[in-house]
Amino acid sequence: MKNRITRITAALAAAALLAGCGSISSKDGGYYTTEAAAQESYNYDSAAGGTDSSLMPANAAEAATDETAQKIIYNASLSMESTDFDAARETLMAAVEANDAWMESTSIYGTEKDHDRSADYTVRVPVGNYRAFLAAVGEAGSVRNVSENAENITSSYIDVQARLTALEAQRTRLNELADQAETTADLLEIESQLSDVQYQLENYTRQLRNMDQQVSYSTVDIYLQEVVTLTPTGVTFTERIADAFGGGWDAFVGFVQGLVIALVYLWPVVLIAVVVVFILRTVWKKRPKKEKLPKPAQTPPPAEYPVKPSDEPKPKY
């Protein structure tokens, strides 16, 4: 009996050692590797109109489905403005539909009346339509900034695959031991090990599925702002001076309009303040004036007495 327990214990230890091969450290369901994933980021300004990816290769769609290819996550962020907010939104929605993308989140701020609307969109785009989607989005308005990011997760992907392979081998070995178990204690111990292995398998399978989705679908963040006039790009110094004068006048007019609107909103306070000042001035005028007391008579200074000349003879020198 002791020999059988010893053999089962040794078999469990061997299965655990097998699972440790090619393992990676895990925390909160995430994956971490000793080798940092390669990342590249590009930022550039774009004029109004279309934009295209300068980062993603043309064969990115084939590479995403190839098991031997590099696993790279492509993301982009765009900032744009438009004088016709509704038309720009319709163009964006058409680009999402035409490229088989889907909207992950949407946030809209401001009102149509004040012409200060803005919107934040997060779009998931199939990697094969990533370049076409960026070009279509560029037609919605004036693109001010574009930022692209490529994250290489090949090392993490391979490590998770190795971990899954080791865990599957451990599960197979534990099932074989469960068939050979002769006592209830041995069976319970093996089932406990199987439960832990099954949990780890599901965890790493979920991580691998999540990485596959990130590689297959790029994330594009879009910020759209409604403006009265588009921000000029590529202008000369003289044009910039003229724009500065025009912008200063617009700012002054906007300040005056805002001040008038604020006074209109605060008219009850202004009216109350005027009434209070009027009452205080009336009360102050009706107060009796204090009588002025006569000034005390001034005593004349004492007369100076003349000094008599001395009778003593002056010394002769």
Side-chain angles (χ1 to χ4, degrees):
M1 181 65 181
K2 291 183 179 180
N3 293 334
R4 177 169 292 279
I5 295 176
T6 302
R7 289 196 301 271
I8 292 177
T9 304
L12 293 175
L17 181 63
L18 179 63
C21 298
S23 64
I24 62 175
S25 60
S26 174
K27 181 180 179 182
D28 296 337
Y31 53 88
Y32 299 83
T33 58
T34 56
E35 180 182 358
Q39 295 187 9
E40 298 181 9
S41 179
Y42 293 83
N43 297 274
Y44 57 91
D45 292 336
S46 174
T51 181
D52 194 7
S53 172
S54 60
L55 185 60
M56 176 180 286
N59 62 342
E62 291 79 4
T65 57
D66 189 357
E67 294 182 358
T68 61
Q70 295 287 312
K71 302 298 181 181
I72 301 177
I73 301 173
Y74 294 97
N75 297 321
S77 178
L78 292 87
S79 176
M80 55 196 309
E81 59 186 18
S82 175
T83 56
D84 192 341
F85 188 80
D86 295 326
R89 286 183 56 197
E90 292 178 1
T91 304
L92 288 176
M93 296 301 106
V96 170
E97 184 177 356
N99 290 279
D100 296 329
W102 51 279
M103 195 72 66
E104 189 173 59
S105 65
T106 303
S107 300
I108 300 178
Y109 313 95
T111 61
E112 182 180 1
K113 179 181 178 181
D114 296 331
H115 301 286
D116 61 347
R117 288 174 292 177
S118 61
D120 288 312
Y121 301 103
T122 299
V123 185
R124 299 300 300 273
V125 186
V127 67
N129 299 337
Y130 174 81
R131 296 165 64 94
F133 178 75
L134 288 185
V137 168
E139 301 298 330
S142 176
V143 179
R144 300 295 304 146
N145 302 98
V146 178
S147 174
E148 293 187 77
N149 175 271
E151 181 183 1
N152 192 330
I153 61 169
T154 305
S155 298
S156 299
Y157 194 90
I158 293 174
D159 287 340
V160 173
Q161 283 184 322
R163 180 63 171 170
L164 282 173
T165 302
L167 288 171
E168 289 173 354
Q170 183 182 7
R171 181 176 60 181
T172 301
R173 180 57 179 164
L174 289 173
N175 285 326
E176 293 175 356
L177 291 175
D179 295 337
Q180 299 173 5
E182 295 181 355
T183 64
T184 303
D186 294 340
L187 186 59
L188 291 176
E189 178 65 23
I190 294 172
E191 287 181 349
S192 177
Q193 292 283 341
L194 275 172
S195 177
D196 181 62
V197 168
Q198 185 63 32
Y199 172 78
Q200 295 183 59
L201 277 170
E202 294 175 356
N203 184 29
Y204 287 110
T205 300
R206 184 168 53 253
Q207 292 183 24
L208 198 66
R209 189 182 303 113
N210 182 51
M211 285 189 284
D212 283 332
Q213 186 182 35
Q214 290 181 321
V215 171
S216 301
Y217 286 86
S218 301
T219 301
V220 180
D221 295 317
I222 304 171
Y223 174 72
L224 174 63
Q225 183 180 13
E226 183 180 24
V227 295
V228 178
T229 57
L230 298 177
T231 303
T233 57
V235 297
T236 63
F237 179 74
T238 305
E239 293 174 338
R240 292 173 62 186
I241 291 294
D243 292 336
F245 275 109
W249 175 253
D250 293 339
F252 174 73
V253 172
F255 170 76
V256 173
Q257 291 177 350
L259 181 60
V260 172
I261 292 174
L263 292 177
V264 172
Y265 273 114
L266 297 175
W267 72 265
V269 179
V270 175
L271 181 61
I272 293 173
V274 171
V275 172
V276 170
V277 171
F278 177 78
I279 294 174
L280 291 177
R281 292 192 57 171
T282 304
V283 172
W284 182 263
K285 289 181 179 181
K286 290 183 178 180
R287 290 181 60 185
K289 295 182 179 180
K290 295 182 179 180
E291 296 182 358
K292 295 183 179 180
L293 298 175
K295 295 182 179 180
Q298 296 182 355
T299 305
E304 296 181 358
Y305 297 97
V307 179
K308 293 182 179 181
S310 178
D311 296 336
E312 296 180 2
K314 296 181 180 180
K316 295 182 181 179
Y317 298 96

